[in-house]
Amino acid sequence: MKESLTKFLRTGISLIAALIVLLLLVAPAAADMDGVMMHDGKMMMMKAGHPATAMDHEVTMSDGTMVEVDGTVKSKDGKTFHLQEGEMIMMDGHLMKGGKAAPMSPREP
């Protein structure tokens, strides 16, 4: 009986330690989710993947991409398009759709 209790406690402690390590690995990824996003028809500044404040001025990303308050995006190579609901431009200039990276390309009118 004592051996099975010891085995149970060791397994429980191991699982808790594994969860802590997993959380420490995932937390920095969420912290990197800064950018701007079209949310409910408004451009929002994003912090750690969550809408923080409404955009009140043009934002230039680290790669030179510019995003205007109305959602117009001007990429460094000259392409211009408008963000759709749920699309996000990361601070490094990458376009995200539904949490996944997507190519930056102009849309058809």
Side-chain angles (χ1 to χ4, degrees), residues 43-58:
M43 287 302 296
M44 302 292 291
M45 296 295 298
M46 303 292 290
K47 295 290 181 191
H50 300 287
T53 58
M55 274 181 64
D56 60 0
H57 62 280
E58 182 179 90

Side-chain angles (χ1 to χ4, degrees), residues 27-87:
D32 291 341
M33 294 294 289
D34 292 347
V36 296
M37 178 180 194
M38 181 64 74
H39 180 72
D40 291 335
K42 299 177 191 167
M43 287 302 296
M44 302 292 291
M45 296 295 298
M46 303 292 290
K47 295 290 181 191
H50 300 287
T53 58
M55 274 181 64
D56 60 0
H57 62 280
E58 182 179 90
V59 177
T60 301
M61 306 310 186
S62 62
D63 72 341
T65 298
M66 294 188 306
V67 184
E68 297 177 13
V69 177
D70 69 353
T72 301
V73 178
K74 296 177 184 173
S75 65
K76 60 185 175 185
D77 61 0
K79 295 178 183 174
T80 301
F81 62 95
H82 196 269
L83 284 180
Q84 302 296 313
E85 184 66 27
E87 292 181 334

Side-chain angles (χ1 to χ4, degrees), residues 5-23:
L5 180 60
T6 303
K7 187 175 182 181
F8 176 77
L9 288 175
R10 282 186 188 165
T11 303
I13 291 171
S14 296
L15 286 172
I16 291 170
L19 284 172
I20 290 170
V21 169
L22 181 62
L23 287 174

